[in-house]
Amino acid sequence: MKSITINGSQRESVGRKATKALRNAGQVPCVLYGGDKSVHFSAAELAFSKLVYTPNAHTVVIALENGETYNAILQDIQFHPVTDRILHIDFYQLFDDKEISMDIPVSFVGNSKGVRNGGVLRKNKRSLRIKALPGNLPDFIEADISELKIGNKLYITTLENEAYKFMHPENTVVCLVKRSRTTVEDEDEDEDEDASATEGDAPAAE
């Protein structure tokens, strides 16, 4: 998985007054959890644009001015209810030998037979939660819809991978092809029926 580096400064004071002063200076107060102790730091609000305002999933390298670095993922974020400015971010520290749960975007690929015949692709899950070691976290989960006909569903079991496990029930529907007003019968099914009819009408060899 791709990683984004956030350059920050460790916070000595974590009180309300100090936090307000940071925000007024264009800084975002942050906390890193998951290690031996919590790490309080701040970073420029602009530094989080590629991490927050994107549908893609990323891990994070937190690089502090004192030379310390931490691998992490974004765990929680708070926005101002009116201005939508970032108020606070929580991170969770990663360790190479410890599994982590994370939401990963789904990438739908292929040309569905049902959609070609007028059906509508309904994407039930645009992201899926998985559990894996940090080194096995994918950038995205590929869902091939090529074989989906009208009325077909793509279940999460079709996407199983040895590198990670899904944190969803086995009957979870990732996407399906719904019938619409412009729907016609699947072409391949029509061809099969025509072929069968032709064979049935053909006279038997003497």
Side-chain angles (χ1 to χ4, degrees), residues 95-110:
F95 297 93
D96 292 340
D97 58 349
K98 186 176 180 181
E99 289 186 324
I100 187 73
S101 295
M102 188 173 183
D103 291 329
I104 305 296
V106 178
S107 175
F108 296 91
V109 299

Side-chain angles (χ1 to χ4, degrees), residues 81-135:
V82 177
T83 65
D84 277 341
R85 289 189 61 185
I86 301 173
L87 296 179
H88 183 89
I89 298 180
D90 289 337
F91 291 92
Y92 192 83
Q93 189 171 353
L94 298 179
F95 297 93
D96 292 340
D97 58 349
K98 186 176 180 181
E99 289 186 324
I100 187 73
S101 295
M102 188 173 183
D103 291 329
I104 305 296
V106 178
S107 175
F108 296 91
V109 299
N111 189 0
S112 166
K113 296 178 180 179
V115 173
R116 289 201 306 268
N117 292 330
V120 177
L121 179 66
R122 177 178 177 181
K123 301 176 181 178
N124 291 26
K125 296 289 185 180
R126 294 182 180 274
S127 66
L128 293 168
R129 192 162 189 83
I130 67 169
K131 189 173 185 179
L133 293 173

Side-chain angles (χ1 to χ4, degrees), residues 32-168:
L32 173 66
Y33 297 101
D36 295 332
K37 61 178 181 179
S38 299
V39 178
H40 296 261
F41 69 98
S42 64
E45 186 173 359
L46 290 176
F48 300 102
S49 59
K50 293 182 180 180
L51 176 65
V52 176
Y53 305 108
T54 175
N56 301 323
H58 298 282
T59 56
V60 180
V61 175
I62 299 170
L64 302 182
E65 285 183 343
N66 59 11
E68 295 179 350
T69 59
Y70 303 90
N71 293 320
I73 59 170
L74 191 154
Q75 186 177 46
D76 188 39
I77 185 168
Q78 298 175 18
F79 294 95
H80 191 282
V82 177
T83 65
D84 277 341
R85 289 189 61 185
I86 301 173
L87 296 179
H88 183 89
I89 298 180
D90 289 337
F91 291 92
Y92 192 83
Q93 189 171 353
L94 298 179
F95 297 93
D96 292 340
D97 58 349
K98 186 176 180 181
E99 289 186 324
I100 187 73
S101 295
M102 188 173 183
D103 291 329
I104 305 296
V106 178
S107 175
F108 296 91
V109 299
N111 189 0
S112 166
K113 296 178 180 179
V115 173
R116 289 201 306 268
N117 292 330
V120 177
L121 179 66
R122 177 178 177 181
K123 301 176 181 178
N124 291 26
K125 296 289 185 180
R126 294 182 180 274
S127 66
L128 293 168
R129 192 162 189 83
I130 67 169
K131 189 173 185 179
L133 293 173
N136 291 336
L137 291 171
D139 291 319
F140 57 85
I141 296 169
E142 186 174 288
D144 189 352
I145 64 171
S146 301
E147 299 302 318
L148 291 185
K149 300 177 183 178
I150 295 168
N152 286 173
K153 300 176 181 179
L154 183 69
Y155 290 94
I156 198 170
T157 49
T158 307
L159 309 179
E160 289 180 348
N161 191 297
E162 294 182 356
Y164 49 81
K165 55 186 176 183
F166 290 106
M167 308 300 287
H168 300 271

Side-chain angles (χ1 to χ4, degrees), residues 1-22:
M1 175 176 289
K2 296 178 181 178
S3 184
I4 293 177
T5 299
I6 302 295
N7 296 305
S9 303
Q10 194 156 357
R11 292 191 287 153
E12 299 300 333
S13 178
V14 295
R16 183 176 298 179
K17 185 176 181 180
T19 298
K20 184 177 180 180
L22 282 172

